[in-house]
Amino acid sequence: MVIPGYEDDPLAVSEEWLGLPGFWPAHLLWLAEGEDVDPKPGWFGVDGADTEEAYGTLTDPAAWPVPRLPLQREHTILILYRNFPEDCGIDYYLTHPSWDRPRSLGSIEGHFAGPGLAWRELVYIARNPGTGPGVTTPHARLLLLLPVLGDEALPPDAVEAVESALDAIGAPPETRTVLAEALLDHPFWGAPPWYFHEPGASPLSGGNAPPRPSRVLRCMGDWSPRTGGFGLSLDQDLCLAEALGTVS
């Protein structure tokens, strides 16, 4: 696998690593930590030894895991474990064959950036995989993307949706609700609003009709890579909006 900017790094396609016994707490335990919450691997139905082993695999400098999530219309989300010894973190990228480069959805640790997805996008992506290679199971897709979620408009059933995904990975009933609430309440970039950008008429257009508005959401969060557009053509914008489930 080659990703622009990481040509010399040891990237490894790694969807099979989701089957490691301790994968899910290794990927998400930190996300659930808070002032009043001290999650344990057992909350995921996993013991500490398996979690440590999985964490060691995911953060190995010799092989950087890159799970792929195929989306509709040939888009793909790449989750890249950036395992520099002095700059460890997770980078989320959105790609398409017609784009000149990947677009960032967020970075965990290091160059902190996010959120990268609104709730409505996350749920649509989870439930509507594309036909390309990678992770297609809805509950796994939802849990993989939780770290880049941030949205002030979480619906009443958001906790229930995360609980259902945790149930699917074997989290015990007595911890599912508190774990789901903690995973949705992380403090990294708060819960900003999302909106559709509606451009006005250009002053050079002589008052003609404005260009077609983007159907890709933008984020009002200060640290989000999605405060502006992705610099796509109108056709690419519509294609992406279809993949994210925001075409109305």
Side-chain angles (χ1 to χ4, degrees), residues 2-221:
V2 177
I3 300 174
Y6 299 88
E7 291 88 347
D8 298 325
D9 299 312
L11 308 184
V13 173
S14 53
E15 290 84 25
E16 72 276 6
W17 292 356
L18 273 67
L20 294 172
F23 174 83
W24 289 112
H27 182 68
L28 289 173
L29 196 63
W30 59 273
L31 188 67
E33 294 175 349
E35 292 184 3
D36 302 319
V37 182
D38 184 22
K40 308 295 182 185
W43 291 21
F44 291 85
V46 178
D47 67 32
D50 284 337
T51 300
E52 289 182 12
E53 183 175 350
Y55 184 78
T57 299
L58 295 178
T59 57
D60 183 359
W64 297 9
V66 188
R68 300 163 297 176
L69 279 69
L71 276 59
Q72 298 287 319
R73 301 297 303 271
E74 298 185 82
H75 297 82
T76 302
I77 291 178
L78 305 175
I79 304 173
L80 191 156
Y81 282 81
R82 177 182 12 93
N83 292 339
F84 290 117
E86 303 300 326
D87 185 23
C88 185
I90 309 175
D91 297 325
Y92 284 74
Y93 290 104
L94 183 62
T95 70
H96 189 272
S98 71
W99 296 357
D100 59 342
R101 57 183 171 81
R103 266 58 172 185
S104 174
L105 288 178
S107 293
I108 311 300
E109 303 176 23
H111 299 290
F112 183 89
L117 291 173
W119 175 259
R120 63 184 288 187
E121 296 173 327
L122 185 149
V123 171
Y124 185 86
I125 291 169
R127 296 174 179 173
N128 296 275
T131 58
V135 181
T136 58
T137 307
H139 73 266
R141 290 163 67 89
L142 186 146
L143 293 175
L144 283 168
L145 295 174
L146 278 181
V148 286
L149 170 69
D151 193 340
E152 72 167 6
L154 290 180
D157 63 349
V159 171
E160 182 180 348
V162 177
E163 281 187 82
S164 179
L166 292 171
D167 179 30
I169 64 167
E174 60 270 20
T175 61
R176 282 180 211 148
T177 299
V178 65
L179 181 54
E181 291 173 345
L183 290 169
L184 290 170
D185 192 36
H186 66 79
F188 300 108
W189 36 68
W194 294 76
Y195 69 101
F196 288 111
H197 178 61
E198 304 286 350
S202 166
L204 302 179
S205 69
N208 293 329
R212 187 177 71 206
S214 171
R215 302 320 297 164
V216 176
L217 287 165
R218 294 192 183 186
C219 183
M220 294 183 68

